[in-house]
Amino acid sequence: MFRVASRVVGPAVLVAALVLTLAVPNAAATWTPTSMVAPQAPCEISLSRITGAARDKAGFFTPPANPHEPGRIFLDTVAGGEILANPDEQSILLEVQLGPAGLDPAAFAVQWEVRDPDDPADHVDVDPNDGGTPTGGTARGGDNVDTLPEETTDGRHFFRQANHAISNRASPGSDGTSDATVIGQAQTAIDANRRSSVRFHYGDEAGDNYIIKAICLRIATGAEEASDETGILTVWRKRFFVLNAMSKPADDQQLIAVGTAGADANAQCVGPGANGFADTFLRSDDKYADNNGSAVRVGANLNSNTPANDGGPSYLPLLQTALVLRSLKASYASTTPNRACYLDPVLTSLSLRTTYLGVMAAANGVNANTQEHTYSRTATRYHGGGAANNTHPNNTYHVLGIRTYGATGSLYGNSTVDPHSYVDLLAHYQDFEQGGTTVSEMGQTTVHELGHSILREPDDIHGPHSPAPFTACCGSVAAGQGTQWCPRHVRQIRNNVTRSWADHDANVANPSESARDSD
């Protein structure tokens, strides 16, 4: 019923208030006009976790400190680096937390959107849509090589269901013109704890990059009430490199004391031991006496500078394992945009010192009976304890430092026996002084020879190159760029690194390799 209440407040002042009282059994309630109800607080949303991304730094595979930092997303591998059972199934999990505490989950949905930011490179061979000639063009996004993810059992969509129902998926793909274009989207439900999640499925090409935005969407009106987004997420590959080094005997003999002059430029200052070969690394301007390095002779100053058995117990490229890894990172994980291959090397050693062999006979083709092939299968323990017929581990390449191929100064390395690469140490020491350019040159040879196995050469890595002064071999001092790759071959390495040795072994007729640029 309606009830009027009045009271006197001061002289002759009548104050009346109209109150609506509802008759409710055993209770009383007061009605307040709708216009006086306080509006609901706006929606809040924040990225709480990204599972599967790694820090934006080579060699660091832990998640970013927070989900807004730039991160790396890896191709066809789980966190430990193993190959997924099926290609093109790579994805990461994104989760958001919504608020405030009284939020009605049924009234909202999370809208997920992905954009394609500009590749940081500007060379026409790496990022052609910038319009550089060859560099200095206008930065444009929408330039991912894979405009859409490759086909999977769930179709070519960027977003896939995780722990919450998904709907309204659309994936128009990169348009080649702008980083503002939404290239994929979906909506997910919100649970009673005000959480929502989605899986992001990305393309195959190293260097492709994405920014993912999560929007709190009011279902009734379509209003976007709040949003949060990731940093730039860039596709990388993780590859394993096994390092071996041939054992280096210590039986050489000092023939001329260090600091003492020889009779002439042909005087031998270090002679071989029982194996008939000198296994001593050179000092100063001393030289090997012949192509096989059977002895060490004095150089132009006629003085003996090399102590017998100098150089440690093995033919290890770059003298230290850490230097090998540093050289690999400088080339394949370069932070220079036009040199960035987006391949993260992990270096391991199965058996650092392998069987000594004075002269290795280089293989010139795929012939399992050559000395180099036999040594690869049996002496390196790379095929499961030396068994000749064991297969290569997935995602793994091998580099081996050897004494020499017997043509010192003419063959610095070889990579015919994929995925094995060899570095001839005597060839380097013959041409360069230890402590001079020897170490950096060995690093470049290591990078170059591994490149033959990694790239699988749809186009010869010896040339042509871009830009000048690349006129010889990528990844070598002759190319003028140290251990880095020219932009032309950077693009090929990004697009054509195979995912397993089954692919390598059948790379000519492998359906997955012929159907798309890369696994």
Side-chain angles (χ1 to χ4, degrees):
M1 65 178 180
F2 289 103
R3 178 169 59 88
V4 177
S6 64
R7 60 191 177 96
V8 176
V9 184
V13 176
L14 176 65
V15 177
L18 179 63
V19 178
L20 176 62
T21 301
L22 301 177
V24 180
N26 302 320
T30 302
W31 171 79
T32 306
T34 302
S35 60
M36 296 176 63
V37 176
Q40 182 175 339
C43 177
E44 303 165 357
I45 188 170
S46 62
L47 285 162
S48 55
R49 184 170 62 168
I50 301 179
T51 302
R55 289 178 58 189
D56 190 29
K57 185 176 181 181
F60 292 84
F61 301 102
T62 55
N66 72 69
H68 306 97
E69 293 180 5
R72 300 184 299 156
I73 49 181
F74 286 88
L75 176 65
D76 285 347
T77 56
V78 295
E82 297 302 318
I83 293 292
L84 293 176
N86 298 301
D88 303 318
E89 295 293 332
Q90 66 276 358
S91 66
I92 57 174
L93 175 68
L94 296 100
E95 298 174 271
V96 290
Q97 179 68 59
L98 294 98
L103 182 83
D104 178 10
F108 295 89
V110 175
Q111 170 93 359
W112 300 91
E113 296 179 352
V114 58
R115 307 190 310 276
D116 174 4
D118 181 50
D119 190 305
D122 66 354
H123 192 279
V124 64
D125 286 345
V126 185
D127 189 8
N129 84 325
D130 283 0
T133 56
T135 62
T138 301
R140 294 185 181 89
D143 52 5
N144 284 346
V145 173
D146 273 358
T147 59
L148 289 169
E150 292 297 335
E151 183 177 357
T152 68
T153 54
D154 194 30
R156 300 187 70 181
H157 286 295
F158 284 105
F159 294 108
R160 306 167 72 176
Q161 183 165 337
N163 302 320
H164 298 80
I166 193 168
S167 62
N168 298 331
R169 292 193 296 175
S171 299
S174 299
D175 62 3
T177 63
S178 173
D179 60 3
T181 302
V182 174
I183 65 174
Q185 62 185 33
Q187 290 180 12
T188 54
I190 303 168
D191 64 28
N193 295 314
R194 308 186 313 282
R195 297 191 184 101
S196 191
S197 64
V198 75
R199 296 205 74 89
F200 175 65
H201 174 218
Y202 44 94
D204 285 341
E205 308 309 325
D208 282 2
N209 54 13
Y210 306 91
I211 295 175
I212 303 169
K213 187 176 184 179
I215 303 166
C216 184
L217 190 71
R218 186 179 289 273
I219 297 173
T221 64
E224 299 180 0
E225 296 199 359
S227 66
D228 198 8
E229 68 180 30
T230 67
I232 295 177
L233 302 173
T234 305
V235 178
W236 281 67
R237 294 175 174 89
K238 182 179 182 180
R239 291 295 184 263
F240 297 90
F241 296 83
V242 175
L243 174 64
N244 289 144
M246 183 181 289
S247 296
K248 182 173 172 295
D251 62 351
D252 291 354
Q253 305 296 316
Q254 192 77 49
L255 303 179
I256 302 175
V258 174
T260 303
D264 54 41
N266 293 315
Q268 294 185 3
C269 54
V270 176
N275 61 30
F277 297 104
D279 296 298
T280 297
F281 292 158
L282 301 176
R283 291 283 187 95
S284 188
D285 67 344
D286 291 352
K287 300 294 182 183
Y288 292 112
D290 53 33
N291 279 344
N292 288 338
S294 60
V296 178
R297 63 177 176 82
V298 297
N301 66 13
L302 302 184
N303 286 330
S304 171
N305 301 290
T306 302
N309 303 304
D310 187 54
S314 68
Y315 285 94
L316 175 64
L318 294 174
L319 307 181
Q320 297 178 27
T321 303
L323 293 177
V324 178
L325 180 58
R326 188 167 71 186
S327 186
L328 293 175
K329 284 185 177 180
S331 55
Y332 294 109
S334 172
T335 57
T336 302
N338 289 330
R339 305 283 190 261
C341 299
Y342 297 106
L343 190 152
D344 198 347
V346 177
L347 188 63
T348 62
S349 177
L350 294 181
S351 175
L352 186 57
R353 300 176 193 174
T354 61
T355 305
Y356 176 79
L357 186 63
V359 178
M360 176 81 75
N364 295 315
V366 181
N367 182 346
N369 296 319
T370 63
Q371 188 178 47
E372 197 175 42
H373 278 79
T374 301
Y375 192 92
S376 299
R377 292 196 308 272
T378 60
T380 65
R381 302 185 192 175
Y382 189 52
H383 295 254
N389 296 318
N390 285 357
T391 57
H392 295 97
N394 287 336
N395 274 1
T396 306
Y397 305 88
H398 179 224
V399 60
L400 174 69
I402 66 169
R403 182 180 180 276
T404 188
Y405 282 110
T408 304
S410 61
L411 187 61
Y412 293 93
N414 197 34
S415 57
T416 303
V417 190
D418 286 322
H420 303 273
S421 298
Y422 294 85
V423 180
D424 181 329
L425 268 67
L426 260 65
H428 291 92
Y429 277 96
Q430 174 78 343
D431 286 357
F432 300 97
E433 299 173 4
Q434 182 179 4
T437 56
T438 308
V439 171
S440 61
E441 176 72 4
M442 279 192 285
Q444 292 160 46
T445 299
T446 302
V447 166
H448 174 83
E449 295 303 336
L450 284 169
H452 284 284
S453 293
I454 293 169
L455 182 57
R456 294 304 305 149
E457 298 187 76
D459 184 30
D460 191 351
I461 64 174
H462 293 107
H465 306 290
S466 67
F470 278 90
T471 57
C473 304
C474 267
S476 72
V477 71
Q481 296 292 330
T483 57
Q484 295 190 354
W485 295 85
C486 79
R488 173 184 174 88
H489 287 107
V490 163
R491 173 46 65 188
Q492 292 185 11
I493 291 172
R494 287 192 189 186
N495 290 2
N496 291 282
V497 177
T498 50
R499 69 188 293 266
S500 72
W501 277 106
D503 294 343
H504 282 258
D505 294 341
N507 71 85
V508 175
N510 179 8
S512 65
E513 285 300 303
S514 60
R516 58 184 185 276
D517 286 333
S518 174
D519 276 330

